[in-house]
Amino acid sequence: LMDGTYMGFGISGRTTETWMIGADAVVADWPANADTPRVRDIFMDSRAQCSGVVGVCSDTNLGTTVGTNDAANVGGERERGLTMIEYTRPLARTNQGQTTRGFAIDQAIDVSPGVDTFVVWAMGPIAESTGNPLFHSIVARSGDESTSIQFGRPVTNNCQPLLSDAETLAPTVTPLPPFERPDVGDED
């Protein structure tokens, strides 16, 4: 996670597919010069950046329906070019019954065995002035694919290490080729 970017993950706005509108998610970033990451509980009622109370906004900033930031136990570290952020959130709805524009602010996470829970995730730039997420540059959905997780499955750690002890991963940016100005004139 490079400076000025966020990563987001949450419960889909639909129970049968990955869907951004109505999603209950958490957005995490690591503000410049901060010792710890910032993690916020957000609600998505449209495909727009937060304009105060509409769009991808923090639960604590939804106009007349004010929710709570349910992301807790936030921690993280930056090491060898990798950013690791961890947090917890309740499985049950904490803003029970609170809705905005027809959507429940918080969604429960079903931990029943064998139940697929569709999720959303994205990465992108964060607005320096407000700290709000902007349009994503990497997203969960490609074509008609949806992403689901069975939160009720037996707990196993089957993740491969991202780096060996000898590796170092540094963010790289590939520069764009310079613009070549065409010659304009009347030379026959």
Side-chain angles (χ1 to χ4, degrees), residues 80-145:
R80 298 185 296 167
L82 292 176
T83 301
M84 294 160 276
I85 298 175
E86 48 190 25
Y87 65 91
T88 60
R89 66 154 277 183
L91 297 174
R93 291 181 176 163
T94 56
N95 298 304
Q96 189 69 30
Q98 289 188 335
T99 61
T100 183
R101 288 168 283 292
F103 298 102
I105 292 175
D106 285 333
Q107 295 186 35
I109 298 175
D110 192 340
V111 293
S112 302
V115 174
D116 286 329
T117 299
F118 288 89
V119 296
V120 294
W121 67 265
M123 297 175 74
I126 199 131
E128 191 174 314
S129 61
T130 63
N132 289 332
L134 300 174
F135 188 77
H136 44 70
S137 52
I138 302 174
V139 350
R141 193 167 174 156
S142 173
D144 290 329
E145 295 178 26

Side-chain angles (χ1 to χ4, degrees), residues 18-178:
T18 295
W19 194 256
M20 180 179 163
I21 308 300
D24 176 23
V26 170
V27 167
D29 69 308
W30 204 301
N33 302 318
D35 293 331
T36 58
R38 171 175 50 190
V39 180
R40 288 163 293 152
D41 185 3
I42 62 165
F43 175 75
M44 302 180 210
D45 73 348
S46 73
R47 295 177 187 263
Q49 68 188 43
C50 184
S51 63
V53 295
V54 176
V56 178
C57 296
S58 169
D59 279 12
T60 59
N61 187 29
L62 291 173
T64 58
T65 304
V66 178
T68 57
N69 182 4
D70 296 325
N73 303 315
V74 175
E77 63 181 284
R78 287 182 145 178
E79 180 182 342
R80 298 185 296 167
L82 292 176
T83 301
M84 294 160 276
I85 298 175
E86 48 190 25
Y87 65 91
T88 60
R89 66 154 277 183
L91 297 174
R93 291 181 176 163
T94 56
N95 298 304
Q96 189 69 30
Q98 289 188 335
T99 61
T100 183
R101 288 168 283 292
F103 298 102
I105 292 175
D106 285 333
Q107 295 186 35
I109 298 175
D110 192 340
V111 293
S112 302
V115 174
D116 286 329
T117 299
F118 288 89
V119 296
V120 294
W121 67 265
M123 297 175 74
I126 199 131
E128 191 174 314
S129 61
T130 63
N132 289 332
L134 300 174
F135 188 77
H136 44 70
S137 52
I138 302 174
V139 350
R141 193 167 174 156
S142 173
D144 290 329
E145 295 178 26
S146 287
T147 305
S148 66
I149 296 175
Q150 290 187 0
F151 288 102
R153 73 188 187 286
V155 177
T156 59
N157 181 358
N158 56 3
C159 297
Q160 299 296 318
L162 295 174
L163 297 173
S164 70
D165 288 336
E167 290 179 291
T168 299
L169 180 64
T172 59
V173 177
T174 305
L176 296 174

